[in-house]
Amino acid sequence: DTGVSQDPRHKITKRGQNVTFRCDPISEHNRLYWYRQTLGQGPEFLTYFQNEAQLEKSRLLSDRFSAERPKGSFSTLEIQRTEQGDSAMYLCASSLGQGGPQHFGDGTRLSIL
Amino acid sequence: AQTVTQSQPEMSVQEAETVTLSCTYDTSESDYYLFWYKQPPSRQMILVIRQEAYKQQNATENRFSVNFQKAAKSFSLKISDSQLGDAAMYFCAYSGGYQKVTFGTGTKLQVIP
């Protein structure tokens, strides 16, 4: 069990650029979640996959955001035309089964210049 | 929509003493899960303890225990024999039927040597 892995750890980009983050969940976990966390706040739910199906998306996930989980393994979160307000820590978590505890990755910190 | 409220932005405790962190939540669901997560500075979110709503018995994990009051929708965390390594942000979280997890705003715990 190598835990949830996220890449990159840090991303600095100019406003208007596109960015893509990757999350590799714990291998036997069928559920994968993306959250956004700003300084001093709790994580905010963005979206959730069960296997390859995206089952729920938050209203926070504007049309500039898209997430995929091809083949039900790793997932990517893409932000197009980044804005200052997108600066945050993006957390990925995975779990197994209903009510299973979520295991978090270290997160990707996004800074928009 | 479910909400999670942590009314104590910061708490402090003397090393070896006991501290209780408060959490209340609001839901119309009858079957759900509650969690406490710990997030040390610049480090990964870690599950501390988990409670299933249908279980009346309060969960315990070594020095960590909860006081779950379902009717009052209260879920407090008690840390006994506090250690320096317990210093962190603590997040209370709720997960209902759709597995989306809703987090509170967190309580920053300081442990005084």
Side-chain angles (χ1 to χ4, degrees):
Chain A
D1 179 358
T2 57
V4 177
S5 175
Q6 290 189 246
D7 183 70
R9 291 292 303 277
H10 303 276
K11 179 69 176 179
I12 301 173
T13 192
K14 293 182 179 179
R15 184 165 50 95
Q17 297 295 304
N18 298 344
V19 294
T20 300
F21 310 141
R22 176 178 171 126
C23 172
D24 287 90
I26 293 172
S27 57
E28 62 267 26
H29 285 183
N30 60 341
R31 299 173 188 237
L32 186 148
Y33 309 79
W34 285 99
Y35 295 89
R36 182 172 67 188
Q37 186 178 25
T38 53
L39 197 62
Q41 299 296 314
E44 295 174 294
F45 171 80
L46 293 178
T47 191
Y48 144 57
F49 291 86
Q50 179 165 309
N51 300 314
E52 66 275 10
Q54 188 173 20
L55 296 188
E56 189 173 354
K57 291 171 61 173
S58 165
R59 289 189 301 273
L60 293 173
L61 216 65
S62 75
D63 56 4
R64 296 186 299 106
F65 288 71
S66 62
E68 295 181 344
R69 192 185 182 196
K71 302 178 183 179
S73 55
F74 72 92
S75 176
T76 57
L77 177 68
E78 181 182 16
I79 308 174
Q80 296 181 327
R81 305 181 303 280
T82 52
E83 301 174 355
Q84 291 284 354
D86 297 333
S87 295
M89 176 75 84
Y90 289 83
L91 296 171
C92 177
S94 69
S95 70
L96 179 65
Q98 175 94 13
Q102 296 190 9
H103 296 259
F104 283 81
D106 288 336
T108 294
R109 183 169 295 284
L110 175 64
S111 298
I112 307 297
L113 301 178
Chain B
Q2 292 80 24
T3 59
V4 177
T5 302
Q6 293 180 250
S7 58
Q8 306 154 315
E10 293 189 27
M11 292 281 286
S12 62
V13 62
Q14 207 76 32
E15 194 176 4
E17 296 296 308
T18 295
V19 65
T20 298
L21 308 184
S22 301
C23 173
T24 58
Y25 59 95
D26 189 24
T27 184
S28 58
E29 295 176 310
S30 58
D31 189 18
Y32 50 87
Y33 301 83
L34 296 163
F35 308 88
W36 278 97
Y37 283 90
K38 170 185 176 182
Q39 189 176 40
S42 301
R43 296 192 63 187
Q44 196 177 63
M45 186 90 70
I46 302 166
L47 178 68
V48 174
I49 199 164
R50 170 174 171 259
Q51 175 80 43
E52 296 160 355
Y54 66 86
K55 289 187 177 179
Q56 293 186 348
Q57 187 173 6
N58 289 324
T60 63
E61 285 288 340
N62 301 314
R63 298 182 295 108
F64 298 87
S65 62
V66 298
N67 183 3
F68 174 47
Q69 301 289 328
K70 191 172 184 178
K73 296 179 181 174
S74 170
F75 183 61
S76 61
L77 174 69
K78 185 171 82 171
I79 306 174
S80 304
D81 185 27
S82 296
Q83 300 175 359
L84 295 178
D86 294 334
M89 283 290 287
Y90 284 83
F91 293 99
C92 178
Y94 169 101
S95 175
Y98 292 100
Q99 279 285 291
K100 163 188 167 181
V101 179
T102 302
F103 287 82
T105 51
T107 297
K108 184 177 181 180
L109 179 65
Q110 180 186 18
V111 180
I112 303 166

